Amino acid sequence: MAAAAHGALPLPALPEGWSGEKDFKAISTLSPATQRNIEPVGPHFLAHARRKRHHRTFSEDDRIQAQENVKKVEEEDAGDISEPEEPLMLQRDAKDWKGQDHYAVLGLSKYRYKASEDQVKRAHRKKVLRHHPDKKAAAGNTEDDSFFKCIQKATEVLLDPVKRRQFDSVDANADVEPPSKKETQRGNFYKLWSPVFQSEARFSKTQPVPKLGNEKSTKEEVERFYNFWYNFDSWRSFEYQDEDVPDDTENRDQKRHVERKNNAARKKKKTEDTARLRKLVDDALALDDRIRQFRQQERAHKDKRRLEKEADAKRAAEEAAAQKAEAEKLRLEAEAAAKVERAEGKKAKEAAKNAVKKNKRVVKASVKDVNYLHEGDGDAPAGVVDQVLGEVEAIIAKLDPEALGELTSKLSGVKGRDAVKGIWKGEVERLIKEGKAKEGEMKTLGA
C-alpha cells in the first residue's frame, strides 16, 4: 500500500486592516458535544476485511473473485441457455465459419430463429467465460483459440440483422420435415402439419400468418389459409451460400463472373424452393379431411339445389299448364261474351239507328204537319218546302242521337204552327249558343 503524502495548504490572507477585536462577529454559539458510535461499512471495507481474513494479497483476491463471478454467471444462465457441447464442434476450424451452425456454437439450438438478441448476448458471454484463451492458458490447457473464434463469428452473424436473416434463410436445422401420407393417415393431421407450416411461416413477408386450425375451422378460414400459402410471399434468399467474391481489384472479370454465377445460383434455389413449398401445400391439401368434407357438403348442396330446381321447374310447368288452361277457358268465355256483346251491340245499333230514323221522320213530320210553317192559305210553295226541309236536315246533321231524341220528345204531340216554330227556334238558338250553327244560317226555323 502506498504511503500517505502530507502537503501544506496555507489559509488565505486576511484583509488589510482587519482586526479581531473590532471586526469579528459571532453568529451563534457552538453546540454541545455528542458521543456517537461509528461503524466501518461499504464494499471497500468488505474487500479489506476479506483480504485480512483469508490472508490474501490484492491480486489473489481479484483472481478468486473473478472466478466466483464466472461461476455465478454460468449458474444464472444454466436455465435456458445450456446445451452439451459435442467434441467435434469444439474441434471446428474457424476458417470454415460458413459451414458451422451458429446457434449450436452458442448453445441456442432449441431456439434458433426465435432466439432474442438478449439471449444471443447472454449465450455469447457464457461461452466466452468458458472458452476464453486466457482462461484456458491459466488452467494449463492448450492455447488453441479456434473454437473461441467460432464463438466470436457466430455472435457477429447473429447480432447483425442482415447476416442473421441470410443465415436463417438457409438454416436447414430449423426446418420441419413434412409427414408422409401414411404418417398423416395414422396420426393427427393438425398436430403433424401445424409445426411444418409454423416453420415455413418464418419466411413470410406478411405477418401474422394464418394458422392451420382444426376440425372445427370454418370453410372461409380453411380457404383463407390455403389461399395464403398458394400466394405465399417469401423473403427467403440464398446469399449466405454464395461463393466468396475475390477482394482483389486487379481481376475484375473474375469478380463479375463470380457475381453472375452467384445471382444465377440464387434464382435457381429460389425457384426450387417455391416449387418445394407448392408441393408441400398440395400434399397438405390432398390429406386435409376438411377439404373432402367441404366438397361433400358442396356436392350435397348442389344436388339439393338441383333437385329443388327440378321441383321448381316441374311446379312451374304445372302452374304454367294450369294457367294456360285457365287462360284458354277465360279466352273462350271472353269470346262468347264478346260475341253476345257484339250481337247485343248490333241490336242496340240497329235499335239506335231505327230510333234515329224514326226521330228524323217525326221531326220532319212536325214541319209537314204545320204546312212547313207557311203562313198563307193553301199548300206551301215548293221553294218554302225545300227551304224548311233543308234547314231541318242541317239541324239534324248537327245533333247527336241523344239531342235528336230530346228534340223529338219536345215536338211529339205538339200542334199548331206557332208552337212547332217556337220549339225549332229554341233549338236553333241553342245550336248557335254552343257554336254549332251561325247567325242567319237558319232563316226560316231561326226567325
Side-chain angles (χ1 to χ4, degrees):
M1 181 180 293
H6 298 277
L9 183 63
L11 294 174
L14 293 173
E16 186 177 355
W18 187 88
S19 172
E21 290 77 7
K22 64 176 182 176
D23 296 323
F24 176 78
K25 296 180 180 180
I27 298 175
S28 64
T29 59
L30 296 175
S31 61
T34 303
Q35 185 175 357
R36 298 181 183 275
N37 295 326
I38 299 176
E39 299 180 357
V41 294
H44 296 288
F45 172 76
L46 294 177
H48 169 75
R50 186 174 59 248
R51 289 192 297 272
K52 289 296 183 181
R53 179 181 180 186
H54 297 289
H55 306 288
R56 299 176 187 167
T57 62
F58 274 89
S59 59
E60 289 175 342
D61 188 67
D62 290 342
R63 178 175 56 81
I64 294 173
Q65 286 298 110
Q67 292 175 351
E68 290 180 356
N69 289 336
V70 169
K71 184 177 180 182
K72 182 179 180 181
V73 170
E74 292 179 349
E75 289 176 352
E76 289 177 353
D77 291 339
D80 57 348
I81 307 176
S82 179
E83 291 180 1
E85 297 174 334
E86 298 180 1
L88 291 177
M89 183 174 64
L90 298 176
Q91 299 173 9
R92 286 198 60 85
D93 184 1
K95 296 180 180 180
D96 185 25
W97 62 271
K98 273 197 172 183
Q100 76 179 19
D101 183 349
H102 299 309
Y103 290 110
V105 168
L106 295 181
L108 297 170
S109 297
K110 64 180 180 180
Y111 295 101
R112 312 205 74 82
Y113 64 91
K114 296 180 182 178
S116 65
E117 182 179 343
D118 179 66
Q119 287 176 317
V120 173
K121 291 179 179 179
R122 289 164 56 198
H124 170 254
R125 180 177 60 176
K126 179 178 178 180
K127 291 292 183 179
V128 167
L129 290 174
R130 182 181 298 174
H131 296 283
H132 199 282
D134 293 344
K135 181 178 180 181
K136 290 184 177 181
N141 297 334
T142 177
E143 295 186 5
D144 182 18
D145 62 349
S146 180
F147 186 65
F148 180 76
K149 292 179 180 179
C150 292
I151 295 172
Q152 297 298 91
K153 192 65 181 179
T155 306
E156 175 192 339
V157 171
L158 297 184
L159 288 181
D160 186 312
V162 176
K163 293 180 180 179
R164 181 174 181 178
R165 192 179 181 92
Q166 292 175 353
F167 175 72
D168 288 340
S169 184
V170 298
D171 184 12
N173 293 316
D175 296 336
V176 178
E177 191 70 20
S180 64
K181 183 177 180 179
K182 291 183 178 180
E183 291 173 340
T184 304
Q185 292 173 343
R186 288 197 302 264
N188 186 307
F189 172 82
Y190 310 105
K191 290 184 178 179
L192 292 172
W193 280 91
S194 287
V196 177
F197 285 105
Q198 289 175 4
S199 174
E200 296 291 340
R202 70 187 191 271
F203 300 123
S204 176
K205 291 181 180 179
T206 304
Q207 296 291 342
V209 176
K211 295 185 180 298
L212 179 61
N214 51 42
E215 65 278 358
K216 296 181 180 179
S217 299
T218 63
K219 182 180 179 181
E220 291 73 16
E221 292 172 341
V222 176
E223 288 179 346
R224 183 165 61 251
F225 173 82
Y226 283 108
N227 286 337
F228 177 86
W229 284 100
Y230 275 120
N231 298 281
F232 190 75
D233 189 9
S234 173
W235 56 259
R236 190 174 191 182
S237 61
F238 298 90
E239 294 95 335
Y240 193 82
Q241 296 175 342
D242 283 354
E243 179 182 342
D244 291 336
V245 179
D247 294 332
D248 58 310
T249 57
E250 296 180 0
N251 195 350
R252 294 182 179 179
D253 292 338
Q254 176 65 16
K255 183 177 181 180
R256 283 194 289 267
H257 172 72
V258 174
E259 288 177 349
R260 287 195 297 268
K261 186 177 178 181
N262 287 336
N263 289 332
R266 290 180 203 166
K267 292 180 180 179
K268 181 180 178 182
K269 292 173 183 176
K270 184 73 173 180
T271 302
E272 292 174 349
D273 184 66
T274 302
R276 175 196 65 81
L277 181 61
R278 180 61 181 256
K279 183 179 182 303
L280 185 148
V281 179
D282 287 341
D283 292 343
L285 182 69
L287 295 171
D288 196 337
D289 287 336
R290 297 173 300 182
I291 302 300
R292 282 197 295 271
Q293 293 174 3
F294 293 148
R295 288 174 179 171
Q296 291 173 356
Q297 292 173 1
E298 186 175 356
R299 194 178 301 113
H301 184 61
K302 286 183 178 180
D303 292 342
K304 182 180 178 182
R305 284 191 299 175
R306 179 177 56 80
L307 294 174
E308 289 177 350
K309 189 175 180 180
E310 292 176 355
D312 291 341
K314 183 179 180 182
R315 183 167 55 254
E318 293 175 351
E319 291 177 356
Q323 290 176 359
K324 185 177 180 181
E326 182 67 20
E328 182 66 16
K329 178 182 177 183
L330 293 175
R331 185 185 66 80
L332 294 175
E333 292 177 353
E335 288 181 356
K339 187 175 181 181
V340 172
E341 186 178 354
R342 284 196 301 271
E344 293 178 350
K346 187 176 181 180
K347 290 180 181 180
K349 287 181 180 179
E350 289 293 333
K353 187 176 181 181
N354 293 333
V356 170
K357 289 180 179 180
K358 181 181 178 181
N359 291 336
K360 286 181 179 181
R361 288 196 300 269
V362 171
V363 296
K364 288 180 180 180
S366 67
V367 295
K368 181 181 179 182
D369 291 343
V370 293
N371 197 21
Y372 299 102
L373 303 178
H374 181 60
E375 296 180 355
D377 295 333
D379 294 335
V384 173
V385 173
D386 292 340
Q387 176 69 26
V388 171
L389 290 178
E391 292 181 5
V392 169
E393 289 290 346
I395 292 174
I396 291 173
K398 297 178 185 296
L399 298 177
D400 56 29
E402 185 178 354
L404 181 60
E406 292 178 358
L407 178 59
T408 303
S409 299
K410 292 177 181 178
L411 293 171
S412 298
V414 177
K415 302 294 183 179
R417 184 179 66 83
D418 293 338
V420 172
K421 186 177 182 179
I423 294 173
W424 280 105
K425 184 178 181 181
E427 188 65 23
V428 170
E429 290 175 352
R430 187 182 68 80
L431 291 174
I432 293 172
K433 185 178 181 181
E434 293 179 357
K436 295 180 179 180
K438 297 179 180 179
E439 291 283 352
E441 184 178 355
M442 311 297 176
K443 297 179 179 179
T444 302
L445 298 179

